[in-house]
């Protein structure tokens, strides 16, 4: 009884009935609770012994009550401590592996590599090829070496819309390999200008198709939080392709141009073999009404939560037919208009004129090793694109585009000053090189990677492939115009006049971006569509 009085009837000491809070304890705290009980019993026992010796039991009670109370408080504190905090927190979800996504992006990016290779491969080969095939003095045919691949790309990207949306992204990649291999073989074995131009045209058809499909496929297999970073891989690999072509012009003499063209057979073969093992775009499958296949592919790419990330985006085949629009109707869609405008401004800002004719421009500016300088420009393009990839999800698409075109504008007008002002004539070569480096670096930070990423983001699933195709068709038409007429315009108006035009177009681009281009950073593809609706 005395023990009950001292401990207030604690069931821990007496063990006669369970404390109510005990039912809420975890097994660990119950064990701790029980371990503390002997200390309480020891305190009571000591009290009994001392009180038996004392004249006044109350004195013993007063002496030992603090120790007993302290033991009780310690036990009570442990008993009332929240025990469900750890168990209430859900177990952290296992992170899904990004390996399937990265492999799919890497294989698809071979299409971007071919883009860069074929548009830049003739940069240092024009003199040797034209001399061997007998059209050295024909400026029209020399220009056609550049422009025929662009003409083929225009047709390839136009046909790419139907193939990508009808057959799927994966099968479109597989079909693109056919003209790419045939074209490279024709170029490597050409015995006349016509054979060479036919080969260039076929290569153009292949890269036109892959240029329309690659950014769409990457945007659709990438998880939302990495879509910007992985989307920039397309432009990065284009830059690697350009750099590889320029390095070939240094490592191999121009007289071995047949070997250089033969090497371009390797990437399409790798693309074909690699794409055989890759999944179809889950969003394309969903758009075609194949929901089960879409969810299975989404889980394969994004892990167990892949189906949830895919969202409710499926449509039946009949619904897809109902929303299909004609080309003229598509041209009235805001997302399509923005995409076309961005690529038109990108091309008339002069980037491919710099890439195609940098060797000639540097030679005219007095740079001794123009081919090496061109390769250095290609390296700057790669470095800038890597920087953009690390910034695109932080800075956002609109900010990068604005900074990019502003830097390009300033760089062009610096080069205009270097060409026009007599006071700077002695430094023309240095200004040309420094201005070109600044221009290409600015381009790589936004104007290069962002348009190809943005177009799939701002267009719906039903029209995404066709929208990208129309944007790339505009790109190739403008690219063709620049490639075909730059040499002529340079002779007529001089490099300074052409650079001034490019700089003005960069200024127009800045105004357009600030007024018309939406920010898509951090939004899922479905959220972007809701924003533009």
């Amino acid at each position: 009884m005395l023990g009950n009085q001292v401990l207030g009837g604690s069931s821990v000491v007496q063990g006669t009935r369970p404390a109510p809070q005990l039912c809420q304890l975890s097994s660990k705290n119950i064990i701790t609770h029980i371990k503390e009980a002997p200390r309480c019993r020891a305190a009571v026992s000591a009290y009994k012994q001392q009180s038996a010796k004392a004249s006044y039991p109350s004195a013993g009670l007063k002496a030992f009550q603090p120790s007993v109370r302290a033991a009780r408080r310690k036990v009570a504190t442990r008993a009332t401590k929240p025990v469900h905090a750890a168990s209430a927190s859900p177990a952290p979800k296992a992170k899904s592996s990004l390996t399937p996504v990265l492999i799919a992006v890497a294989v698809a990016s071979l299409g971007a590599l071919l883009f860069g290779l074929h548009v830049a491969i003739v940069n240092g080969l024009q003199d040797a090829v034209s001399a061997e095939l007998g059209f050295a003095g024909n400026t029209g045919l020399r220009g056609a070496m550049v422009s025929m691949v662009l003409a083929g790309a225009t047709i390839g990207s136009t046909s790419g819309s139907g193939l990508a949306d009808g057959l799927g992204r994966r099968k479109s990649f597989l079909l693109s390999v056919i003209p790419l291999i045939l074209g490279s073989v024709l170029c490597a074995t050409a015995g006349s200008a016509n054979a060479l131009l036919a080969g260039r045209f076929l290569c153009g058809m292949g890269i036109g198709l892959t240029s329309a499909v690659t950014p769409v496929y990457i945007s659709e297999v990438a998880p939302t939080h990495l879509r910007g970073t992985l989307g920039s891989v397309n432009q990065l690999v284009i830059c690697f392709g350009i750099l590889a072509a320029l390095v070939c012009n240094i490592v191999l003499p121009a007289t071995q141009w047949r070997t250089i063209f033969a090497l371009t057979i390797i990437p399409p073969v790798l693309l074909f073999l690699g794409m055989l093992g890759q999944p179809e775009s889950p969003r394309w499958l969903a758009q075609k009404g194949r929901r089960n296949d879409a969810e299975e592919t989404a889980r394969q790419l994004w892990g167990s939560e892949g189906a949830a990330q895919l969202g409710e985006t499926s449509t039946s085949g009949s619904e897809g037919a109902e929303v299909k629009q004609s080309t003229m109707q598509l041209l009235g869609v805001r997302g399509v208009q923005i995409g076309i405008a961005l690529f038109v401004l990108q091309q008339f800002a002069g980037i491919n004129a710099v890439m195609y004719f940098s060797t000639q421009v540097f030679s005219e500016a007095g740079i001794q090793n123009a081919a090496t300088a061109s390769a250095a420009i290609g390296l700057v393009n790669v470095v800038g694109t890597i920087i953009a990839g690390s910034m695109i999800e932080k800075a956002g698409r609109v900010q990068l585009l604005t900074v990019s075109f502003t830097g390009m504008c300033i760089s062009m007008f610096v080069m205009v000053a270097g060409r026009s002002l007599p006071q700077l004539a002695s430094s023309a070569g240095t200004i040309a090189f420094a201005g070109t480096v600044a221009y290409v670096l600015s381009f790589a930070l936004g104007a290069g990677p962002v348009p190809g990423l943005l177009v799939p983001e701002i267009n719906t699933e039903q029209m995404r492939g066709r929208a990208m195709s129309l944007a790339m068709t505009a790109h190739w038409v403008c690219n063709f115009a620049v490639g075909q007429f730059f040499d002529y315009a340079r002779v007529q108006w001089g490099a300074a006049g052409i650079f001034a035009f490019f700089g003005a177009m960069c200024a127009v681009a800045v105004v357009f971006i600030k007024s018309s281009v939406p920010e898509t950073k951090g939004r899922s593809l479905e959220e972007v569509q809701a924003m533009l609706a």
Side-chain angles (χ1 to χ4, degrees):
M1 288 296 296
L2 184 59
N4 242 3
Q5 291 171 2
V6 173
L7 295 177
S10 171
S11 62
V12 175
V13 176
Q14 298 297 324
T16 58
R17 69 177 185 272
Q21 65 265 39
L22 209 58
C23 299
Q24 305 299 321
L25 294 176
S26 66
S27 59
K28 180 179 179 181
N29 282 344
I30 290 173
I31 292 171
T32 304
H33 197 149
I34 292 172
K35 286 180 178 179
E36 296 291 348
R39 299 180 187 178
C40 296
R41 294 192 188 98
V44 172
S45 177
Y47 161 72
K48 287 179 178 180
Q49 294 173 6
Q50 291 294 330
S51 61
K53 298 176 183 179
S55 301
Y56 300 99
S58 61
L61 177 65
K62 289 180 180 179
F64 285 93
Q65 271 184 337
S67 62
V68 175
R69 286 173 180 165
R72 285 186 62 218
R73 280 197 301 270
K74 190 172 183 180
V75 173
T77 300
R78 292 182 180 274
T80 58
K81 184 178 180 180
V83 297
H84 289 291
S87 60
S89 301
K93 296 180 181 178
K95 292 185 178 179
S96 58
S97 172
L98 284 175
T99 301
V101 173
L102 295 179
I103 292 175
V105 170
V107 172
S109 295
L110 288 170
L113 181 75
L114 286 157
F115 182 148
L117 275 174
H118 284 293
V119 297
I121 199 71
V122 298
N123 186 294
L125 303 181
Q126 290 179 335
D127 291 341
V129 173
S130 60
E132 184 172 335
L133 296 183
F135 59 93
N138 190 327
T139 57
L141 287 177
R142 285 171 60 92
M145 285 181 61
V146 173
S147 59
M148 283 304 287
V149 75
L150 309 177
T154 302
I155 295 176
S157 61
T158 303
S159 63
S161 63
L163 290 173
D165 285 339
L167 296 179
R169 316 324 188 195
R170 181 173 168 272
K171 289 181 180 178
S172 297
F173 276 118
L174 296 174
L175 285 174
S176 71
V177 169
I178 298 172
L180 284 164
I181 292 178
L182 290 177
S184 294
V185 170
L186 266 176
C187 289
T189 60
S192 66
N194 289 337
L196 177 74
L197 296 181
R200 293 283 287 163
F201 183 83
L202 285 173
C203 289
M205 288 185 64
I207 65 171
L209 179 53
T210 60
S211 69
V213 179
T214 301
V216 174
Y217 182 79
I218 291 176
S219 72
E220 291 180 342
V221 301
T224 298
H225 68 288
L226 289 176
R227 197 177 65 243
T229 301
L230 293 179
S232 67
V233 170
N234 179 59
Q235 180 64 27
L236 175 62
V237 180
I238 291 175
C239 297
F240 271 119
I242 293 172
L243 179 61
L246 296 174
V247 169
C248 279
N249 292 333
I250 298 174
V251 175
L252 296 174
T255 53
Q256 294 188 24
W257 59 270
R258 294 183 187 276
T259 301
I260 294 174
F261 279 122
L263 290 174
T264 62
I265 298 173
I266 298 174
V269 172
L270 295 177
L271 175 61
F272 182 84
L273 296 176
M275 195 51 68
L276 287 175
Q278 299 312 306
E280 181 53 86
S281 159
R283 288 191 166 91
W284 180 83
L285 291 170
Q287 187 258 326
K288 289 299 180 181
R290 297 165 57 181
R291 186 70 192 186
N292 291 337
D293 291 339
E295 291 183 354
E296 181 181 348
T297 304
R299 283 189 288 269
Q300 176 186 344
L301 288 168
W302 306 326
S304 58
E305 302 297 322
Q309 187 174 157
L310 182 63
E312 297 297 327
T313 59
S314 65
T315 61
S316 67
S318 60
E319 288 171 337
E322 288 174 6
V323 299
K324 188 173 181 179
Q325 295 173 296
S326 67
T327 299
M328 292 306 297
Q329 289 174 317
L330 281 176
L331 291 174
V333 176
R334 183 186 174 199
V336 176
Q337 293 171 344
I338 292 172
I340 291 174
L342 284 175
F343 276 107
V344 169
L345 291 167
Q346 180 200 68
Q347 290 307 301
F348 284 120
I351 182 60
N352 282 315
V354 171
M355 290 302 176
Y356 298 153
F357 301 102
S358 59
T359 301
Q360 296 179 29
V361 172
F362 288 154
S363 296
E364 291 178 359
I367 295 177
Q368 296 298 319
N369 198 334
T372 302
S374 293
I377 295 302
L379 181 60
V380 169
N381 199 11
V382 170
V383 172
T385 305
I386 293 173
I387 295 172
S390 66
M391 296 172 58
I392 201 163
E393 291 296 358
K394 299 175 184 178
R397 285 57 157 161
V398 172
Q399 183 175 345
L400 284 182
L401 282 171
T402 303
V403 171
S404 176
F405 276 106
T406 300
M408 292 163 67
C409 179
I410 294 171
S411 301
M412 277 296 177
F413 282 110
V414 166
M415 288 192 284
V416 169
R419 290 283 186 143
S420 304
L421 300 178
Q423 301 91 325
L424 300 176
S426 60
S427 304
T430 302
I431 293 173
F433 182 74
T436 304
V437 168
Y439 172 86
V440 172
L441 181 61
S442 298
F443 171 84
L445 290 177
V450 173
L453 167 65
L454 198 61
V455 174
E457 291 182 326
I458 60 178
N459 288 283
T460 63
E461 286 179 355
Q462 291 81 4
M463 65 177 67
R464 191 169 291 145
R466 299 176 70 200
M468 192 67 208
S469 176
L470 287 171
M472 291 308 300
T473 299
H475 166 277
W476 290 116
V477 168
C478 297
N479 200 336
F480 174 85
V482 171
Q484 184 65 33
F485 298 111
F486 176 81
D487 220 14
Y488 172 81
R490 183 173 55 86
V491 173
Q492 295 297 316
W493 303 317
I498 296 297
F499 291 162
F501 171 78
F502 291 154
M505 293 303 296
C506 291
V508 171
V510 172
V511 175
F512 172 76
I513 291 160
K514 298 294 287 185
S515 63
S516 303
V517 178
E519 181 55 73
T520 61
K521 178 185 72 172
R523 295 184 172 96
S524 70
L525 295 178
E526 291 71 32
E527 289 172 337
V528 174
Q529 304 318 314
M531 177 181 66
L532 292 174

